[in-house]
Amino acid sequence: MKVSYNWLKEVLQFDLPPQEVADALTAAGFPVEEMTPLAQVPGEVVVAELLDVMPHPDADRLSLTKVSDGANVFSVVCGAHNIAPGNKAPLAKIGAVLPGNFKIKKSTIRGQLSEGMLCSAADLKLDLVQDGDGILQLPLDAQPGQSLAEYLGLDDVIMDVELTANRGDLLSIRGLTAEIGAVLGKPFALAEPEEVKGEDSRISVQIATEDCYRYTGRMLRGVRVGPSPLRLQLRLLACGMRPVNNIVDITNLVMLEWGQPLHAFDADKLPTPEIIVRQAQEGEVMVTLDGKERKLEPHMMLITSGDKPVAIAGVMGSLDSEVDENTINILLESAGFDPVSVRITGKALGISSEAGSRYEKGVDPAVIGPASHRAASLVRELAGGRVGELVSVGQEDWENWTVEARLDDINSLLGTDIPRQRAVALLANLGLDVGGAGDTLLVAGAPRRSDLRLWQDIAEEVGRLHGLDKVPSTLPQGRLTLGVRKPHQYLEWQIRDILSGCGLQEAIPY
C-alpha cells in the first residue's frame, strides 16, 4: 500500500524522519519496499501574486504579466487564459530546473522580456484536476514568496508498504498509525468521527441476501460538484489514487483514512429511492463505471434501485448512476459485504478495485457508520448541501470474544522473559483491552483485528512489538534419541540393494 508520510506524521504527531518511520514499520513485520518523493519541485518555484495582466502587443495568445513574490516584481510572458490580477500562482524563477530537466532562463518572447515562468500542474508533473486548462490556481490566502513545495506539502514522501494478506486493517491510515504508534510507544491515535445528524433522507433500504450483513445509506442534497481542494488532491496522489471530483475524492479519502469503502450514487439517476441488496438473476447485465457491459451471474451480489442493478456490491458501480459535474443530489453508501462473495465476483468479472481489495480482506464492521458520518461532514464542508439522516439495516452489534493467553506460554514460545507490565503496554498501544491477573492475559478481541483468535496470535503481537531483534539466540531444548529403522524399512532397503544390483534404476515421481 502507498501511504503519505506527512499524513502519518499529522495523525501521530511525531518528529521522526521518513527513514526511521520506515524502520519502525519494517521492525513490526511490514517492510517499506520503496520511498519516493511526491513531486520534484525545486525551491526556486514559489507562490506569486499576479499584479497586472495585459495583452501581448505582438501575439494574440500571449499576455504580459507583472507578478510579485512578496519582495520583488517580475515581468513574465504567459500563454494561459485563466489568469487575472489578484490570482495566486506558482512562479518558477530564473535558474529553477523543473521536472524533465527543463531549466528556466531569462528570455525575450516576441520582443518582450520574460523573467520566469508561471507554471501549470502539468509543468510540475502533478496529475491534478482544476476548473480549466492553464496555470495552476492557488488559494487566495497563499503567501507570496513561500516555497510552493512547502506550501502544498510537495515535500511529502510516498512510502510503499508490503502487507500480508491477513492484515486488511492496514489498508488504512487508521491501521498503519496503530502499528507505528505501538512500535513507538504511542497509544492508538485516530479519534472516531462525530455523528452527523441530518434531515429525513426519504430513502428505504432492504437486504435480501445473506452476503450483506449491514447496509447504510443517506441523502446529500444540493451539493456542488467540482475539483477538490489542492491539498486533498495531493493527499490522494501520495496514496496512489487519481483525483476525480470533490465527491468521489471524499469517498476515496475516507476509505484511505478508515479502511471502509464508500460509494456515491447520483440520486436523480436512480429509478426510485428504494435500495435493495440482492443476488443477481440469471441473464441480468449492467454497464460498469469503466464502460464495459458485464454479464451477471446468480452468485454475484447487486445493489438495485427499482429492481435495476446500479452497482455490483463491493466491486464497482454502474455507469448510468455515476456522479458527474451535473450531479445535485447524492445517495451515499457505506456497507458490509461478505469477503468471499466480493472476492469471487471480482475475480469472475476481472475487476480489481481499491474497494474490492479491502472488502475481500474484511473490513471493520464497527466503522461502517462512522465512515459515513466522516464523509457526510466533508461533503457539507467542501461541496455544500444538506445532509440527510443515516438509514441503516442489518447487524449493528458485533461479535465479542476474548483470547486467554498465559505469559509463561508466550515467553516459552518466543524464548523471551517479557514481564506482564511490558506485554500489557504493548497490546494496549495497539488499541486492545487487556484484563486478567497474574500470569493470565485476557485480551478482548476487536473487530478491527479479527485475525487475533488464538493465544499464539497474541504471542506474535507481543513478539513483534517487543522487537524480534531483542529475542535472544538460544539452542533448542529437547531429548536426543538414537534413530532406528523398523523391520519393514530394513526390508525396503534390502529390496533396493538387490534390484539396483541387478542393474535396475529407481524413479520417484511426484
Side-chain angles (χ1 to χ4, degrees), residues 70 201 291 304 310 381 425 427 482 488 498:
S201 276
T304 66
V310 293
E381 176 186 346
L427 295 170
L482 179 64
H488 76 273
I498 293 170

Side-chain angles (χ1 to χ4, degrees), residues 216-499:
T216 72
R218 74 189 326 149
M219 291 293 294
L220 303 166
R221 294 184 173 86
V223 302
R224 299 182 303 275
V225 178
S228 297
L230 291 179
R231 294 180 189 276
L232 194 160
Q233 294 190 46
L234 290 167
R235 183 145 285 180
L236 293 180
L237 285 176
C239 295
M241 303 192 75
R242 182 179 60 85
V244 179
N245 58 50
N246 50 3
I247 302 301
V248 175
D249 292 352
I250 286 169
T251 62
N252 285 332
L253 183 80
V254 174
M255 178 181 69
L256 290 169
E257 188 175 60
W258 287 91
Q260 171 62 43
L262 304 171
H263 188 73
F265 299 95
D266 186 323
D268 296 323
K269 296 178 182 177
L270 301 178
T272 72
E274 299 174 355
I275 297 297
I276 299 177
V277 188
R278 61 168 174 82
Q279 297 300 124
Q281 300 169 2
E282 195 70 49
E284 281 189 296
V285 296
M286 189 185 84
V287 179
T288 47
L289 283 169
D290 56 7
K292 296 181 180 179
E293 184 176 271
R294 308 286 181 176
K295 294 182 180 179
L296 307 174
E297 301 176 14
H299 67 81
M300 299 175 180
M301 185 172 28
L302 301 179
I303 312 300
T304 66
S305 170
D307 208 37
K308 176 186 176 183
V310 293
I312 303 170
V315 179
M316 189 173 285
S318 68
L319 184 63
D320 57 9
S321 64
E322 179 184 18
V323 171
D324 57 32
E325 65 274 8
N326 299 314
T327 298
I328 298 174
N329 301 311
I330 289 170
L331 172 62
L332 180 66
E333 168 193 286
S334 180
F337 304 121
D338 177 66
V340 176
S341 172
V342 174
R343 182 165 59 249
I344 291 175
T345 298
K347 186 174 181 180
L349 295 174
I351 298 176
S352 176
S353 65
E354 291 286 345
S357 69
R358 286 163 173 80
Y359 273 127
E360 66 185 24
K361 292 178 177 64
V363 299
D364 181 357
V367 300
I368 292 174
S372 180
H373 294 313
R374 170 70 167 148
S377 177
L378 286 171
V379 169
R380 185 163 57 188
E381 176 186 346
L382 302 179
R386 308 185 309 279
V387 175
E389 65 176 349
L390 186 69
V391 178
S392 175
V393 294
Q395 182 181 354
E396 296 192 23
D397 296 322
W398 313 113
E399 174 192 7
N400 295 314
W401 75 94
T402 301
V403 182
E404 181 177 336
R406 294 181 62 248
L407 199 59
D408 279 350
D409 291 337
I410 292 175
N411 282 320
S412 176
L413 182 65
L414 297 176
T416 55
D417 189 22
I418 300 172
R420 175 186 174 86
Q421 184 177 4
R422 168 72 171 162
V424 170
L426 292 172
L427 295 170
N429 283 341
L430 274 177
L432 301 173
D433 294 328
V434 184
D439 184 54
T440 302
L441 302 178
L442 297 178
V443 184
R448 182 179 63 85
R449 291 299 307 275
S450 60
D451 58 310
L452 302 181
R453 298 284 178 171
L454 308 174
W455 74 264
Q456 291 90 341
D457 298 329
I458 303 302
E460 180 185 3
E461 296 304 292
V462 172
R464 284 193 314 109
L465 299 176
H466 176 66
L468 298 179
D469 57 322
K470 298 177 183 177
V471 176
S473 298
T474 56
L475 291 173
Q477 301 295 315
R479 294 177 57 190
L480 299 178
T481 58
L482 179 64
V484 178
R485 288 198 180 110
K486 296 179 180 178
H488 76 273
Q489 292 174 317
Y490 274 113
L491 178 60
E492 287 180 7
W493 280 101
Q494 286 178 325
I495 294 173
R496 281 189 172 93
D497 287 343
I498 293 170
L499 293 176

Side-chain angles (χ1 to χ4, degrees), residues 90-278:
L91 169 67
K93 294 183 175 182
I94 294 170
V97 181
L98 299 183
N101 201 31
F102 180 66
K103 187 172 183 178
I104 304 300
K105 302 177 182 178
K106 182 183 291 189
S107 59
T108 301
I109 302 176
R110 303 293 289 268
Q112 299 294 325
L113 177 66
S114 187
E115 301 173 293
M117 174 176 148
L118 294 175
C119 301
S120 67
D123 294 328
L124 303 173
K125 296 293 186 287
L126 297 174
D127 190 13
L128 300 173
V129 178
Q130 289 215 298
D131 286 320
D133 295 333
I135 297 306
L136 178 60
Q137 298 286 341
L138 301 177
L140 296 180
D141 61 357
Q143 292 299 312
Q146 185 177 7
S147 162
L148 184 73
E150 180 183 342
Y151 174 69
L152 291 180
L154 300 177
D155 52 355
D156 198 359
V157 175
I158 302 172
M159 309 177 77
D160 195 350
V161 186
E162 179 185 344
L163 305 179
T164 53
N166 67 323
R167 293 298 304 273
D169 62 297
L170 296 183
L171 291 169
S172 67
I173 290 294
R174 181 184 185 226
L176 284 172
T177 52
E179 285 291 328
I180 298 172
V183 174
L184 299 179
K186 291 178 174 285
F188 188 62
L190 199 59
E192 188 167 303
E194 293 185 7
E195 182 177 351
V196 177
K197 296 185 180 298
E199 59 189 43
D200 183 5
S201 276
R202 286 175 284 175
I203 59 172
S204 67
V205 178
Q206 178 184 343
I207 297 176
T209 173
E210 295 181 352
D211 289 339
C212 176
Y213 55 84
R214 188 182 181 195
Y215 191 95
T216 72
R218 74 189 326 149
M219 291 293 294
L220 303 166
R221 294 184 173 86
V223 302
R224 299 182 303 275
V225 178
S228 297
L230 291 179
R231 294 180 189 276
L232 194 160
Q233 294 190 46
L234 290 167
R235 183 145 285 180
L236 293 180
L237 285 176
C239 295
M241 303 192 75
R242 182 179 60 85
V244 179
N245 58 50
N246 50 3
I247 302 301
V248 175
D249 292 352
I250 286 169
T251 62
N252 285 332
L253 183 80
V254 174
M255 178 181 69
L256 290 169
E257 188 175 60
W258 287 91
Q260 171 62 43
L262 304 171
H263 188 73
F265 299 95
D266 186 323
D268 296 323
K269 296 178 182 177
L270 301 178
T272 72
E274 299 174 355
I275 297 297
I276 299 177
V277 188
R278 61 168 174 82

